[in-house]
């Protein structure tokens, strides 16, 4: 795992619900603080590497359960923008 991947994964593990909501609004993804708390709980209790397509797909399915399929799709598109940067 390169430094960029480590930084992204570390941010996912340390983000606050308020930060996640702010980021989601910056990118036009609707998210409540309660949903953000649930998402963060999953991120902190499961080892998820968003750079791995299979792990990211699992993460997106969990996200769809917490939010909605549309929100999960938007989040996946955002993840793809980040993971394709090197």
């Amino acid at each position: 795992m390169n430094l960029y991947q480590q930084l992204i994964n570390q941010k996912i593990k340390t983000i606050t619900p308020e930060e996640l909501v702010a980021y989601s609004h910056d990118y036009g993804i609707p998210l409540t603080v309660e949903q953000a708390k649930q998402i963060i709980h999953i991120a902190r209790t499961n080892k998820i590497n968003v750079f791995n397509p299979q792990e990211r797909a699992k993460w997106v399915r969990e996200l769809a359960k917490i939010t909605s399929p549309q929100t999960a799709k938007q989040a996946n598109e955002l993840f793809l923008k980040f993971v394709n940067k090197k």
Side-chain angles (χ1 to χ4, degrees):
M1 190 177 303
N2 68 35
L3 180 61
Y4 178 73
Q5 292 173 338
Q6 290 174 0
L7 289 171
I8 296 295
N9 283 323
Q10 182 62 28
K11 185 61 177 178
I12 290 171
K13 295 287 186 182
T14 60
I15 196 167
T16 67
E18 293 77 16
E19 284 178 301
L20 184 55
V21 169
Y23 285 134
S24 73
H25 290 164
D26 288 347
Y27 290 97
I29 301 171
L31 195 65
T32 67
V33 172
E34 189 57 40
Q35 290 170 329
K37 288 178 182 178
Q38 292 175 309
I39 292 165
I40 290 168
H41 175 74
I42 290 171
R44 291 184 179 156
T45 57
N46 297 287
K47 184 177 181 183
I48 300 168
N49 178 358
V50 296
F51 294 91
N52 178 299
Q54 290 82 19
E55 289 183 37
R56 190 176 58 255
K58 180 181 172 186
W59 168 265
V60 170
R61 284 191 298 274
E62 289 297 317
L63 184 57
K65 291 178 191 174
I66 295 169
T67 59
S68 71
Q70 180 63 27
T71 298
K73 181 181 178 207
Q74 289 175 303
N76 188 50
E77 290 169 2
L78 182 59
F79 280 139
L80 290 173
K81 287 180 185 178
F82 284 109
V83 301
N84 291 327
K85 290 183 180 179
K86 298 212 176 172

